[in-house]
Amino acid sequence: MQHRCAVIGHPAAHSLSPALHMAAYETLGLSGWSYEAIDVEPGHLDEFLSGLDSSWVGLSVTMPFKSAIIAHGTPEPLVTALDAANTIIFGAVDGSRRTSRRESNRCYNTDVPGMTGALAHRGLTSADSAILVGAGATARSGLAALSRIGVRHAEVIARSLERAHASLDEVAARYGIDLDVVGWGELSAPGGLGTDRADLLLSIAPVDFTDAEAARIVRAAPVVFDVFYERHPSALSLAAAAAGRVSVDGIDLLVFQGIGQVQLMTGLTPDPEPLLAACAAELARRRDSQARRRDS
């Protein structure tokens, strides 16, 4: 019997999720399972879902559908709290087609346990304070994850204080986190963020910091977590390693949120190490390919 899964988003072709999930299927000894990246344009989510047949088990969901997908399944409490789901697992089928009944599907958020899992894998299981660089949707998942490891005070560095409060105040209050929001200029202040200002620095801003900026920023905490894998290894990750800080990166997050998805889709739990290696190898392969195209 065929079991189909995929990541959907716009764009989706860049996703490392197929490399991750296919590596998981291999390590788990699963045959008949497939996973692909599918680009779904905004406004076409309903049409895409209605065309799936009974071979489909579930989907990983990335931007811009993390909120829109909730209308197509019953959300777990974490999804409701954050208004964001990154996984849908399909339920009932009608003949050979998926039903459109919301109650037959389930929506989950594995980003939050993925963050705590990535931190634990690098040795951090508890903290009192944190700095968040950026204040978008990922920061809301970040606050939920921070609350799970005991953080009660978080300082947010944001380009717009107004938008940061609108995005994060309700979530911070829900999880009992005292929130301070400061301007982006804090990063370039003469003393920077200082040294060991918090237990953890979590960067959720898609910014390419210069080497000098990164070197100043990583002094602020003994553990530095840059959630984006597209620029792996990022300037922050490299600076953290050079400074003797613990570096947690976007591949760590990708793998641990992916492990949660594999569990939901297959009922089995893969070991993280082969998945970390597979994602790093695929990223290196893509960069080598791009370099050859530039040189040709």
Side-chain angles (χ1 to χ4, degrees):
M1 179 179 177
Q2 186 180 23
H3 302 279
R4 299 182 67 184
C5 303
V7 56
I8 61 168
H10 183 72
H14 70 285
S15 176
L16 284 179
S17 290
L20 186 159
H21 284 258
M22 291 304 293
Y25 300 157
E26 182 178 355
T27 62
L28 292 169
L30 294 175
S31 60
W33 285 75
S34 67
Y35 190 102
E36 60 189 305
I38 301 176
D39 192 289
V40 178
E41 293 189 3
H44 292 269
L45 179 61
D46 293 4
E47 177 186 355
F48 170 76
L49 293 173
S50 66
L52 301 183
D53 63 25
S54 60
S55 66
W56 285 88
V57 176
L59 298 169
S60 306
V61 182
T62 187
M63 297 301 292
F65 301 120
K66 286 192 172 186
S67 293
I69 197 67
I70 300 171
H72 298 275
T74 301
E76 66 168 335
L78 183 59
V79 167
T80 302
L82 299 177
D83 190 34
N86 73 335
T87 312
I88 185 168
I89 303 299
F90 298 122
V93 294
D94 181 9
S96 63
R97 311 299 296 178
R98 285 284 163 201
T99 70
S100 59
R101 290 182 308 215
R102 180 178 187 268
E103 64 272 15
S104 69
N105 304 325
R106 296 290 183 269
C107 292
Y108 300 91
N109 184 310
T110 70
D111 286 330
V112 172
M115 287 183 183
T116 58
L119 287 167
H121 186 68
R122 301 301 177 189
L124 184 70
T125 56
S126 65
D128 295 320
S129 60
I131 297 169
L132 276 73
V133 180
T138 306
R140 294 196 289 275
S141 292
L143 287 176
L146 293 174
S147 73
R148 294 187 175 194
I149 63 171
V151 169
R152 290 295 171 261
H153 177 80
E155 184 175 20
V156 177
I157 300 170
R159 296 188 186 277
S160 167
L161 274 60
E162 182 180 359
R163 288 197 298 270
H165 282 296
S167 174
L168 302 180
D169 281 358
E170 183 179 343
V171 175
R174 178 180 294 117
Y175 291 110
I177 295 177
D178 177 39
L179 205 64
D180 287 334
V181 181
V182 299
W184 198 257
E186 193 78 6
L187 293 176
S188 56
L193 298 175
T195 301
D196 293 336
R197 182 158 161 171
D199 297 324
L200 165 68
L201 185 142
L202 177 63
S203 177
I204 52 83
V207 176
D208 289 321
F209 294 107
T210 67
D211 292 343
E213 289 171 334
R216 289 198 306 270
I217 292 169
V218 301
R219 294 199 305 261
V223 179
V224 177
F225 190 172
D226 186 348
V227 304
F228 293 99
Y229 67 77
E230 290 85 355
R231 53 180 182 256
H232 177 273
S234 69
L236 284 181
S237 295
L238 293 172
R245 305 299 197 177
V246 174
S247 175
V248 188
D249 62 36
I251 289 183
D252 293 318
L253 174 57
L254 176 70
V255 165
F256 280 90
Q257 65 81 30
I259 287 173
Q261 293 179 333
V262 172
Q263 290 172 329
L264 291 168
M265 293 171 180
T266 71
L268 302 173
T269 304
D271 181 77
E273 298 304 333
L275 310 189
L276 290 165
C279 290
E282 174 60 16
L283 205 54
R285 184 196 67 77
R286 293 182 185 184
R287 287 177 178 163
D288 288 345
S289 178
Q290 290 170 354
R292 286 195 297 270
R293 286 198 298 269
R294 286 195 302 266
D295 294 341
S296 62

